Amino acid sequence: MTLIHELLNNFRLDKRESAVSALIGIILVLFLMVLLTGIISAVLMGFLSGMSFKSAYIVVDAQYSTQNGYPSITLMHLQGDPGYLSEANTGGSGYPLTIRIETVDGSSVVVPLPPGQIWKPGTLLFITHSDTGYVVTADRTQIPGSRLNFPGNEIRISVIDALNQVLVYSKTFIINGTPVNTSQNNTTPEFLRGAGYSVSAWIRFTSPPSPTSPDQKWATVVVDGDRDSNRRFHLQHSSDNSRFEFAFRTAQMAAGGRSASYIQSPSGPVQDQWFHVVGVYNQTSGAIRLFVNGAEVASRILDSSGIAASPGLYQTGGPDGIRFNSAINQRKLRGEIRGISTIDEEMFPAEIRSIYNTG
């Protein structure tokens, strides 16, 4: 009997020890999980705190002019990322941007009208001063309150990436005399425009334009699309890059399943020379026209239905090429492209010549 009691006691002890061991094991596992979670969190926080988020890339130009005797500043989005203007810096598409103006009265945030105003390549914004403050809008006819002059004779405009608090662009205007009497250096005449569309850029080949491989044919400047069947505009060159080419697709053509029609210049680029190339569409007459260095070189009648809807595939060309017909790095332009502009209006010849002559 004594032997049996000892065996039973040992069995109960083994069970208690096993239970204790299991409990200790669970505690150790939980401890290791908590420790590992802390280590991972610390590593991630350290990694994220060291990250630098991409800042907005926007090429901007600003000009001072007058309208009905009162000054305004025109901001031109030449190329780069789309952005939106909002005092709260929320709710838009693209990068949140803030515009500040500095005068003798101090620094002020320019209020967007409407809030969340979208600013994309090829569009203009206008900064004005009224008794309600400084306003930036795409429509100068909708300025609240009574128009006022800018105070003092020095104005500084700054465009800021509000997400990263990075200065994107700034320009200071020195105005001789009163604000409405601007110097020749910062006065730009205002040109009339018509209903339609315009695409323009400065182009220079730094290598011989003639292709040395298939991926250099049709060297592209800018296109909205990634194949012949969906592009709505395309500023490029002919297949052997011996001519400038402008392709355009109207809403009527798109509805009928037709691809863009194009026109070409009689001559083309020369290595190491800059060329200013502009393609325009006149919605009233339905004509597309091509200008090279300020002179019209080709035209064609399409229809007056307006530009086709965007496929959302805006691409700019260059040495790396674009994606076209399901292939990457196509239609390479071995050179430089500057001042790409797309405008939801038709630029008239006087403005095109002025841009070319100004350089």
Side-chain angles (χ1 to χ4, degrees):
M1 292 294 293
T2 303
L3 180 60
I4 293 173
H5 282 297
E6 288 181 0
L7 290 173
L8 289 173
N9 287 334
N10 289 336
F11 177 73
R12 294 190 187 99
L13 183 60
D14 289 341
K15 288 184 67 177
R16 287 197 296 270
E17 289 177 348
S18 297
V20 171
S21 298
L23 180 61
I24 292 174
I26 292 172
I27 293 173
L28 286 174
V29 170
L30 291 174
F31 174 76
L32 289 173
M33 289 178 64
V34 172
L35 181 63
L36 185 60
T37 301
I39 293 173
I40 293 173
S41 299
V43 171
L44 284 176
M45 289 301 292
F47 173 73
L48 291 174
S49 64
M51 286 181 65
S52 57
F53 294 95
K54 177 181 177 293
S55 298
Y57 167 69
I58 300 177
V59 180
V60 182
D61 191 20
Q63 300 293 341
Y64 183 99
S65 61
T66 61
Q67 182 189 39
N68 298 326
Y70 290 99
S72 68
I73 294 174
T74 302
L75 291 176
M76 293 164 277
H77 190 320
L78 301 178
Q79 60 177 306
D81 299 315
Y84 65 94
L85 306 173
S86 175
E87 292 179 276
N89 297 325
T90 58
S93 174
Y95 282 86
L97 303 173
T98 299
I99 298 177
R100 299 194 68 88
I101 185 168
E102 298 175 48
T103 67
V104 293
D105 290 343
S107 176
S108 302
V109 174
V110 182
V111 177
L113 184 68
Q117 170 74 55
I118 301 298
W119 198 26
K120 61 182 181 179
T123 57
L124 304 178
L125 294 176
F126 306 99
I127 299 174
T128 59
H129 186 208
S130 73
D131 55 6
T132 64
Y134 295 98
V135 174
V136 58
T137 179
D139 185 357
R140 280 187 295 190
T141 65
Q142 302 298 319
I143 305 300
S146 301
R147 294 285 295 273
L148 300 174
N149 290 328
F150 292 122
N153 62 357
E154 182 173 329
I155 304 168
R156 179 181 174 86
I157 294 294
S158 301
V159 179
I160 300 166
D161 175 346
L163 178 64
N164 299 291
Q165 289 300 304
V166 173
L167 180 65
V168 174
Y169 172 84
S170 68
K171 184 172 184 178
T172 300
F173 298 93
I174 305 298
I175 304 165
N176 298 327
T178 62
V180 296
N181 295 323
T182 61
S183 66
Q184 184 64 36
N185 291 332
N186 57 21
T187 301
T188 297
E190 295 186 20
F191 294 96
L192 294 176
R193 291 177 178 169
Y197 206 84
S198 303
V199 184
S200 63
W202 288 89
I203 306 161
R204 181 178 72 153
F205 277 85
T206 54
S207 298
S210 181
T212 58
S213 61
D215 60 4
Q216 295 171 7
K217 294 183 176 181
W218 294 287
T220 285
V221 180
V222 60
V223 60
D224 189 2
D226 65 355
R227 60 187 64 248
D228 290 332
S229 60
N230 70 6
R231 58 182 182 169
R232 67 171 186 158
F233 66 78
H234 199 160
L235 197 61
Q236 61 173 3
H237 298 78
S238 57
S239 61
D240 61 357
N241 297 332
S242 64
R243 300 181 180 189
F244 299 106
E245 180 177 306
F246 175 53
F248 194 83
R249 191 186 194 199
T250 66
Q252 181 175 309
M253 294 166 69
R258 295 163 53 200
S259 299
S261 294
Y262 65 88
I263 50 179
Q264 294 180 339
S265 61
S267 59
V270 177
Q271 183 180 347
D272 294 326
Q273 290 187 23
W274 282 102
F275 290 85
H276 185 238
V277 184
V278 183
V280 302
Y281 165 66
N282 182 320
Q283 189 171 346
T284 302
S285 66
I288 56 173
R289 304 161 74 185
L290 180 62
F291 294 79
V292 178
N293 291 346
E296 183 176 349
V297 295
S299 65
R300 180 177 182 176
I301 299 295
L302 301 181
D303 61 71
S304 58
S305 61
I307 189 170
S310 172
L313 298 166
Y314 180 88
Q315 302 182 80
T316 56
D320 293 331
I322 61 170
R323 181 180 183 87
F324 211 78
N325 292 332
S326 301
I328 61 173
N329 305 123
Q330 300 299 304
R331 308 197 174 200
K332 298 175 181 177
L333 192 154
R334 296 180 297 164
E336 299 178 75
I337 303 171
R338 296 182 182 176
I340 294 177
S341 175
T342 56
I343 303 172
D344 293 321
E345 293 177 302
E346 180 202 8
M347 295 169 61
F348 290 158
E351 182 176 5
I352 295 171
R353 285 194 299 269
S354 175
I355 294 172
Y356 170 67
N357 291 331
T358 302

